[in-house]
Amino acid sequence: MKTKVNFLLVIVLTLVVYACYPGGAEYVEELDTSISKFDKAYSWNDLNGKTYSLPTNIMHVKNGEEVDPPKEGPHDKDILKQIKSELDALGMVDATTTAQDTTIALVIVIIEQNNSGAAWIPGGGWWGGYYPGYPGWGWGGYYPWYPVYYSYKTGSVLIEMADYTNKNVTEETIPLIYTGVLDGLMQGSQNYAGTRIKNGINELFNQAPFN
Amino acid sequence: MKYFKSFIIVALALISLEVSAQNKTNAFYGMAIPVGDTKDYINPASFRGGNIEFERLVNPKIGVGLLVGWNTFYEAKDRGTYPINNGEITSNQYRYLNAIPIQATGKYYFTGDDAVIRPFIGLAAGTYYMEQRVDNGLFSSSDKGWTFSIAPKAGFLIPLSYSTSLAVSLDYSTSFESSDLPQQNWLGINIGFSWDY
């Protein structure tokens, strides 16, 4: 009998502690992350006055496949507008407004991922092809690294920067100097998502190497 | 018949030994106040914990036993920016520390079981299974493993009936640094009951 009571006590203790186990995030936006990775050797203090070129369209990737033909998402215009504003605030100059060549090229990618595993997909691949915003170049950047997860529908916004003066002529690539990633769960209204994206871009430009 | 008598004598002797060697089960609700490195990692006190101790009194004032339990420390940090390799991450951060002790215990009771209050001192030593986890948004990283641990303790029993006592104790737990985990310390406050049988 006493063995049964002792056994019961152990079970009760386990259940009580498990029931009280802290749950972490309560709201979707509390899971949002803004991550920046950058080349530390790059002269980040000299961005002022450098020209940049934003893509005309944002690339969309759904479950690992590029959305083709390209389709404009509900937040694309706002994202482009906000990034332009952030770059202007850094003293950079939109290449389309000057006669100068582009120095910093940007690629923006929105990734939707459904239950595709928990892993970091490393960069280093090759987009290839021609993308708007790379006027006349015909070169792509490296394939971006990005995280994917099991059991969730996640959305990611990637902002990549490459300095055209560092181009590799032989391989026809431009090494990335910066990747910014917003990650979050795709839940809630489009307005809610839009606000979260806006906050995330703001966070990215308040991180190193820009702050 | 001779063997049967011997068997009866030995059996009775064992039964009498079992009766004289009292057993106790102590069940505690445990709170814990982080100290040192643990406080640097998680500041708030833990109110999620408990342990059970099976104790055998080898004489009326000395008990030895086995303790198992579970303590969870948790802190939700405000949204902030943290360094990562070649970059930074801005997120809400959730920090966890789970400690599951499996320890041998020894106690000395200053008074007999007929006293109004039974103060005691003791020591627990053994292992902790520790899991130290940090969640940054959807990202999670953890270190886990077994560590050597000790916990000196002091407390008292207040007998409520023939077989049940209120039990209160303080202990200072140290989980020593291992290759996977840093040292952890906390002050435990345990309140529960002790049953004799």
Side-chain angles (χ1 to χ4, degrees), chain B residues 80-109:
Chain B
T81 299
Y82 306 92
I84 57 174
N85 189 27
N86 289 330
E88 290 186 338
I89 182 169
T90 301
S91 68
N92 289 60
Q93 191 176 77
Y94 304 93
R95 298 182 179 185
Y96 300 83
L97 180 66
N98 284 294
I100 298 173
I102 302 171
Q103 295 172 315
T105 62
K107 279 192 208 145
Y108 177 78
Y109 294 91

Side-chain angles (χ1 to χ4, degrees), chain B:
Chain B
M1 191 63 183
K2 186 180 173 185
Y3 288 115
F4 182 69
K5 277 183 179 173
S6 300
F7 174 76
I8 292 293
I9 289 167
V10 171
L12 287 173
L14 284 174
I15 289 169
S16 64
L17 188 65
E18 177 68 21
V19 169
S20 66
Q22 198 179 13
N23 292 327
K24 297 165 81 69
T25 294
N26 310 312
F28 294 96
Y29 163 65
M31 296 162 278
I33 301 167
V35 179
D37 290 348
T38 306
K39 187 177 173 67
D40 293 340
Y41 174 60
I42 291 179
N43 190 44
S46 163
F47 295 95
R48 300 175 178 94
N51 55 69
I52 294 174
E53 182 183 15
F54 306 107
E55 189 178 6
R56 185 179 180 86
L57 295 179
V58 294
N59 75 43
K61 291 190 174 178
I62 295 176
V64 294
L66 177 72
L67 180 145
V68 292
W70 189 358
N71 266 97
T72 295
F73 296 84
Y74 169 73
E75 182 171 13
K77 306 285 282 186
D78 290 337
R79 193 168 184 82
T81 299
Y82 306 92
I84 57 174
N85 189 27
N86 289 330
E88 290 186 338
I89 182 169
T90 301
S91 68
N92 289 60
Q93 191 176 77
Y94 304 93
R95 298 182 179 185
Y96 300 83
L97 180 66
N98 284 294
I100 298 173
I102 302 171
Q103 295 172 315
T105 62
K107 279 192 208 145
Y108 177 78
Y109 294 91
F110 290 96
T111 57
D113 56 9
D114 54 348
V116 176
I117 185 166
R118 300 189 67 195
F120 65 82
I121 55 171
L123 181 71
T127 186
Y128 270 108
Y129 179 74
M130 305 287 286
E131 185 204 35
Q132 188 170 329
R133 192 173 99 231
V134 177
D135 290 352
N136 281 93
L138 291 167
F139 296 87
S140 184
S141 62
S142 65
D143 294 311
K144 55 186 81 170
W146 298 91
T147 64
F148 175 67
S149 66
I150 58 168
K153 61 180 68 188
F156 57 85
L157 301 180
I158 299 175
L160 302 174
S161 70
Y162 175 72
S163 62
T164 305
S165 301
L166 178 70
V168 177
S169 74
L170 287 176
D171 58 50
Y172 186 83
S173 289
T174 300
S175 166
F176 290 96
E177 183 178 354
S178 71
S179 56
D180 300 318
L181 293 154
Q183 179 168 316
Q184 307 287 355
N185 301 85
W186 61 87
L187 180 68
I189 304 165
N190 307 292
I191 300 169
F193 293 96
S194 175
W195 293 276
D196 297 85
Y197 46 85

Side-chain angles (χ1 to χ4, degrees), chain A residues 117-198:
Chain A
W120 285 81
I121 306 298
W126 167 247
W127 282 114
Y130 172 81
Y131 294 108
Y134 287 77
W137 304 343
W139 298 350
Y142 287 118
Y143 193 94
W145 57 271
Y146 67 92
V148 291
Y149 312 93
Y150 283 116
S151 306
Y152 301 112
K153 185 178 183 184
T154 57
S156 305
V157 179
L158 279 89
I159 303 167
E160 296 185 287
M161 294 184 191
D163 189 325
Y164 191 54
T165 57
N166 295 336
K167 64 181 179 290
N168 184 323
V169 176
T170 312
E171 295 184 1
E172 296 191 344
T173 57
I174 315 170
L176 293 179
I177 54 170
Y178 172 84
T179 304
V181 183
L182 310 179
D183 273 309
L185 291 180
M186 291 186 69
Q187 286 181 21
S189 67
Q190 290 294 355
N191 276 345
Y192 183 48
T195 303
R196 289 160 60 201
I197 291 170
K198 186 178 178 184

